[in-house]
Amino acid sequence: MRLLLVEDDARIAADISAVLTGAGYTVETASDGEDAWFRGDTEDYDLIVLDLGLPGLDGMSVLKRWRGNGRHMPVLVLTARGSWAERVEGIDAGADDYLPKPFQFEELLARSRALIRRSVGHGAATIAVGPLTIDTRAMRVSVNGVPQSLTPLEYRLVSYLGHHRDRIVPPTELQEHLYGDDFSRDANALEALVARLRKKLGAVAIGTRRGFGYYMGESAP
Amino acid sequence: MRLLLVEDDARIAADISAVLTGAGYTVETASDGEDAWFRGDTEDYDLIVLDLGLPGLDGMSVLKRWRGNGRHMPVLVLTARGSWAERVEGIDAGADDYLPKPFQFEELLARSRALIRRSVGHGAATIAVGPLTIDTRAMRVSVNGVPQSLTPLEYRLVSYLGHHRDRIVPPTELQEHLYGDDFSRDANALEALVARLRKKLGAVAIGTRRGFGYYMGESAP
DNA sequence: CAGCGCCTGTCAGCGAATTGTCAGCTTCAG
DNA sequence: CTGAAGCTGACAATTCGCTGACAGGCGCTG
């Protein structure tokens, strides 16, 4: 799960980030409104934790802009204690939940889980693409009914492409999804990963569009 | 299995909690409606035992809010004797079962087992997975018909995996259901527990999918 | 109350699976 | 034809999970 934390106070941001990371999330941070707006508008996050008091573009405006652009990811707003007016405004702006400051980290984690769970919904347990079947409950992939043993990273790649079938997914997007903000890796890591997958699933399972990215399903030129 | 007990009378809550704990459940309690609503909305419980007479937000409203938010966990409602109107309202609010007060603890346990069983799709009181048989009434596990002596924690782990057979259960989920909201433990505690279980039940009883979690049943690669 | 045993968490080390890196090769577009 | 993009196999580093030993805590018993 990939989270965006929007918080201008560097020390607080570091604390919260550490807690969320410890809970198993991939956390990225934005420290001002402009950056937050751009990333929330162009990246796919599973949850955004948004502090309202920001320099530059303020948090509420950022949230309104996202919603105005049709972005529906869950947003958890950190409000000042008992700021009743802010809550009302926030509801209209499209926030999904609130947390008055100061708060217990435990509560932040609990609400984050709830929001993510709600947004994921109860989608189908299996998705089929060509000869592939992806069972999200057993976290297993079958080719023509034959189960394959995939490593965690391999599974996440197949799963992501499967959820975005018939669409060319740029390598940068895949790297973001697989590795989050960690840019330490060689660009070749992804290619090597794809190669290993094709060996297991068959060469036709994943297609390449030179210069654009990878895809599963129908994306013939 | 992780239960939430919502009951405002501290003495009664302690009694019921003791009985449920003795039956092998991880029990958490909430004593008012606000707390109950929040926890039920944000945490994963296998069953919620809900008393209707609560200070603040009353039990029925809490239940309606949960269902309104799309939460489907089984809820067992404790009603006043012969309160016919409450039952009807409860059905609409989404309760799964009723227990008129006063009741025998034995009946509470039986209905709890039944609800949990039903929610995970098993009809019978005993679950068979490979050579294992889990008797949820007697809290006993047998390997090829030979009863094993398991510690309370060991039984809870087997029971949870058995109820969720053929599914990969992430370690974080297991920790939640074994330990509730007590987060003090080392990640290794779970691994040590699994190791002890495998020594008793045989190495094949519990499978590992590196990077994903544990499972019982058919999730082999 | 002291002693004992059982249960369970912690620690440290080991082995293996996973994944990043490198170097050289192939393929494609212009 | 040529350079860049992508592929591949081998190798190495890292991470992850397992295990055995140990210790604290709790309840039971004499």
Side-chain angles (χ1 to χ4, degrees):
Chain A
M1 289 295 154
R2 190 165 169 236
L3 269 58
L4 178 65
L5 169 64
V6 186
E7 166 64 62
D8 62 308
D9 185 316
R11 222 173 57 81
I12 300 180
D15 285 351
I16 299 180
S17 176
V19 171
L20 291 171
T21 303
Y25 299 111
T26 304
V27 181
E28 302 173 25
T29 56
S31 54
D32 67 81
E34 279 293 342
D35 188 27
W37 171 72
F38 177 70
R39 314 240 319 247
D41 204 51
T42 55
E43 308 280 332
D44 279 325
Y45 296 100
D46 298 293
L47 172 69
I48 296 181
V49 178
L50 176 66
D51 186 18
L52 289 185
L54 293 175
L57 195 57
D58 82 291
M60 199 64 77
S61 306
V62 171
L63 178 55
K64 281 179 189 158
R65 286 208 202 175
W66 284 334
R67 299 310 191 202
N69 276 359
R71 314 242 55 206
H72 301 299
M73 65 283 181
V75 174
L76 171 60
V77 169
L78 306 180
T79 68
R81 172 157 219 78
S83 173
W84 184 69
E86 255 182 11
R87 289 204 175 202
V88 173
E89 194 188 351
I91 289 172
D92 293 334
D96 297 277
D97 200 0
Y98 297 88
L99 199 51
K101 294 194 288 189
F103 52 83
Q104 298 292 317
F105 287 136
E106 191 46 52
E107 190 173 358
L108 173 65
L109 290 177
R111 291 192 186 243
S112 299
R113 279 199 299 272
L115 283 181
I116 290 173
R117 187 166 46 225
R118 219 172 289 160
S119 75
V120 167
H122 305 281
T126 70
I127 54 184
V129 190
L132 290 190
T133 308
I134 305 170
D135 183 339
T136 56
R137 272 170 49 94
M139 299 212 252
R140 187 163 49 176
V141 176
S142 303
V143 184
N144 296 318
V146 182
Q148 303 295 316
S149 129
L150 298 190
T151 69
L153 205 60
E154 288 169 351
Y155 176 79
R156 283 207 274 159
L157 178 55
V158 173
S159 167
Y160 191 84
L161 289 178
H163 281 289
H164 299 257
R165 55 181 304 176
D166 304 336
R167 179 168 86 79
I168 310 282
V169 182
T172 52
E173 182 179 333
L174 284 175
Q175 302 203 8
E176 273 165 18
H177 181 257
L178 293 176
Y179 306 125
D181 244 353
D182 186 356
F183 278 89
S184 61
R185 285 168 191 75
D186 194 302
N188 202 313
L190 182 60
E191 293 165 11
L193 181 62
V194 171
R196 284 195 266 258
L197 259 173
R198 290 211 253 241
K199 203 179 297 178
K200 286 185 181 178
L201 305 180
V204 289
I206 301 174
T208 304
R209 197 55 92 58
R210 200 185 174 85
F212 291 99
Y214 298 97
Y215 64 91
M216 279 175 56
E218 298 301 323
S219 273
Chain B
M1 293 294 152
R2 189 176 176 212
L3 269 57
L4 178 66
L5 170 64
V6 185
E7 166 63 64
D8 63 308
D9 185 316
R11 222 173 56 82
I12 300 180
D15 285 352
I16 299 180
S17 176
V19 170
L20 291 172
T21 303
Y25 299 112
T26 305
V27 181
E28 301 173 27
T29 56
S31 55
D32 67 82
E34 279 292 343
D35 189 28
W37 171 73
F38 175 67
R39 315 243 315 250
D41 201 53
T42 55
E43 304 285 332
D44 273 324
Y45 295 100
D46 299 290
L47 172 69
I48 296 182
V49 178
L50 176 66
D51 187 17
L52 288 185
L54 293 175
L57 195 57
D58 81 291
M60 199 64 78
S61 306
V62 171
L63 178 55
K64 280 179 190 158
R65 286 209 203 174
W66 285 334
R67 299 310 190 201
N69 275 357
R71 315 248 46 215
H72 303 299
M73 65 283 181
V75 173
L76 172 60
V77 169
L78 305 180
T79 69
R81 173 158 218 79
S83 173
W84 184 69
E86 262 186 357
R87 291 204 175 201
V88 172
E89 195 188 351
I91 290 172
D92 293 335
D96 297 277
D97 200 359
Y98 297 89
L99 200 50
K101 294 194 287 189
F103 52 82
Q104 297 294 316
F105 287 139
E106 194 44 55
E107 187 173 1
L108 173 66
L109 291 178
R111 287 183 188 256
S112 299
R113 281 194 298 269
L115 282 180
I116 291 173
R117 211 160 58 212
R118 208 166 68 201
S119 75
V120 296
H122 291 293
T126 65
I127 302 172
V129 192
L132 290 189
T133 308
I134 304 169
D135 183 338
T136 58
R137 293 188 43 155
M139 289 198 285
R140 168 157 293 170
V141 176
S142 304
V143 182
N144 295 317
V146 182
Q148 302 293 314
S149 98
L150 298 189
T151 70
L153 202 58
E154 286 169 352
Y155 173 76
R156 283 198 261 164
L157 177 55
V158 174
S159 164
Y160 192 81
L161 288 179
H163 277 89
H164 296 263
R165 54 184 301 178
D166 302 337
R167 183 177 147 246
I168 308 287
V169 183
T172 52
E173 182 178 332
L174 282 176
Q175 301 200 10
E176 269 181 27
H177 287 259
L178 289 178
Y179 304 125
D181 44 10
D182 182 359
F183 276 82
S184 59
R185 283 163 193 77
D186 193 298
N188 205 333
L190 183 60
E191 293 165 11
L193 181 62
V194 171
R196 284 175 191 131
L197 259 173
R198 290 211 253 241
K199 209 176 293 180
K200 287 186 180 177
L201 305 180
V204 288
I206 301 174
T208 304
R209 285 284 294 283
R210 198 186 171 90
F212 292 114
Y214 297 97
Y215 65 91
M216 280 176 56
E218 297 302 321
S219 278

